[in-house]
Amino acid sequence: QVQLVESGGGLVQAGGSLRLSCAASGNIFSINAMGWYRQAPGKQRDVVATITNDGSTNHADSVKGRFTISRDNAKNMLYLQMNSLKPEDTAAYYCAARTNGWANFNSWGQGTRVTVSS
């Protein structure tokens, strides 16, 4: 079992920045990838960015050049640096982990809300 706890959400004006953090605990040695997802009201949950154990990253087209995913393995932390925020980035952001033997992300945090005002 892996436990994930997000922090860092809040209210920010358009053009501003936020950094989300995710603390991982439990059976962290089983994790082979981590990611950030988001879900806006009334919409499905979509991937924002992912990072594998070897450091390979992928970012959704909608956030490329603005958001950066990173991780600190020594601290068991995952981050999402969000710059040039837009109102359409408003959503609940979820930290996710994929553990060995699973094809999809199978561990989720409780989410942290990001609101971008225009």
Side-chain angles (χ1 to χ4, degrees):
Q1 284 278 46
V2 173
Q3 292 78 45
L4 304 170
V5 178
E6 304 96 334
S7 61
L11 173 64
V12 63
Q13 289 188 330
S17 298
L18 280 175
R19 188 175 84 151
L20 304 183
S21 300
C22 172
S25 61
N27 191 15
I28 58 172
F29 297 104
S30 66
I31 296 174
N32 58 55
M34 298 189 75
W36 289 98
Y37 284 70
R38 67 184 180 186
Q39 186 169 20
K43 296 189 176 182
Q44 66 180 20
R45 187 175 298 188
D46 292 325
V47 61
V48 175
T50 60
I51 185 167
T52 61
N53 281 2
D54 64 3
S56 297
T57 62
N58 277 293
H59 295 78
D61 287 343
S62 59
V63 306
K64 277 181 181 177
R66 301 188 299 122
F67 291 12
T68 302
I69 189 171
S70 63
R71 62 192 291 183
D72 184 334
N73 292 327
K75 296 182 179 179
N76 301 324
M77 294 293 295
L78 180 72
Y79 304 102
L80 184 68
Q81 179 66 44
M82 306 187 294
N83 299 327
S84 303
L85 282 160
K86 305 175 181 180
E88 51 263 44
D89 295 319
T90 295
Y93 283 72
Y94 297 90
C95 176
R98 186 182 68 202
T99 56
N100 294 332
W102 288 78
N104 300 312
F105 286 91
N106 58 302
S107 295
W108 298 87
Q110 82 288 351
T112 186
R113 180 158 298 278
V114 172
T115 302
V116 184
S117 63
S118 57

